[in-house]
Amino acid sequence: MDEGLEDLYAWVDTVPLTRPKKAFNRDFADGVLVAEIVHFFCPRLVQLHNYSPANGLAGKQYNWYTLNQRVFRSLGLSFTKQQLSDAASAIPGSAESILKVLRARL
């Protein structure tokens, strides 16, 4: 595993999340854990009740698009529809790439 990813995973482990991480790309696919991470660092920025766990792709994409519009934009970030779709589809490395950018901003 590359050193940057180990560092990212260690950073994520400092945040108390509501569910354990088993398969990173699948666990982060619905965007809920990302919302929890942002909420941990910037509580006023994220209303956690707006993000519900989702099994279907449409629900996962909705959470990611909502994060992009309401939260990431407030942080001066914007991800492409493809990046968000990849994360919602649990494509390996996609959630990590978003979290790396997010971490640098938080």
Side-chain angles (χ1 to χ4, degrees):
M1 183 185 314
D2 95 35
E3 204 171 300
L5 281 181
E6 280 186 32
D7 192 39
L8 179 71
Y9 295 149
W11 175 73
V12 168
D13 286 340
T14 66
V15 180
L17 300 173
T18 58
R19 58 184 193 233
K21 299 171 305 304
K22 296 177 190 129
F24 201 88
N25 55 326
R26 283 201 314 264
D27 295 333
F28 280 77
D30 65 6
V32 172
L33 295 181
V34 176
E36 290 180 12
I37 289 171
V38 176
H39 180 76
F40 179 77
F41 291 102
C42 307
R44 292 182 177 170
L45 206 53
V46 177
Q47 312 256 323
L48 288 176
H49 67 270
N50 289 333
Y51 306 93
S52 52
N55 290 322
L57 185 59
K60 293 175 183 181
Q61 287 177 328
Y62 175 81
N63 283 345
W64 278 106
Y65 297 152
T66 303
L67 276 168
N68 202 36
Q69 291 296 313
R70 295 186 182 172
V71 178
F72 299 155
R73 181 181 286 170
S74 297
L75 292 168
L77 301 172
S78 181
F79 296 97
T80 67
K81 198 168 188 172
Q82 186 63 52
Q83 288 173 297
L84 301 173
S85 183
D86 288 351
S89 299
I91 294 183
S94 55
E96 288 93 335
S97 66
I98 291 172
L99 281 169
K100 282 179 185 178
V101 174
L102 184 60
R103 176 184 168 194
R105 190 53 57 108
L106 293 174

